[in-house]
Amino acid sequence: AEPTVTDGRYCGDYDSDYFYRFSSDVINGNSGGGLFVWRNGRLALLGICSRIAIYRGLPVYHMVWATRIELVK
């Protein structure tokens, strides 16, 4: 299957030494993907999707966290 590219917005740091929060939908195939930002006209890998919010037992697909890339081994 082809990767699904979604657009989202940076929403702030969460436990700022470890995670970024962002608003891109994460469901069915694009979870676990990279979080990229534009820097100097190029895409730079900022982190890897690693968490999703749960509300009343259901996933909230637009409330997602990425582990900072420098911590991914």
Side-chain angles (χ1 to χ4, degrees), residues 2-73:
E2 291 293 317
T4 303
V5 177
T6 55
D7 185 40
R9 299 291 179 251
Y10 170 79
C11 299
D13 293 345
Y14 174 80
D15 194 357
S16 62
D17 290 336
Y18 301 101
F19 302 102
Y20 298 110
R21 192 166 70 81
F22 61 102
S23 67
S24 182
D25 286 342
V26 176
I27 185 173
N28 297 337
N30 63 351
S31 58
L35 172 63
F36 293 87
V37 295
W38 284 102
R39 286 192 182 146
N40 301 318
R42 298 179 63 177
L43 285 172
L45 181 60
L46 191 62
I48 302 293
C49 176
S50 58
R51 291 182 174 193
I52 186 168
I54 302 293
Y55 179 72
R56 294 187 179 181
L58 298 172
V60 182
Y61 299 115
H62 63 278
M63 291 182 66
V64 197
W65 290 266
T67 300
R68 293 174 179 261
I69 195 61
E70 58 270 15
L71 300 175
V72 177
K73 296 180 181 182

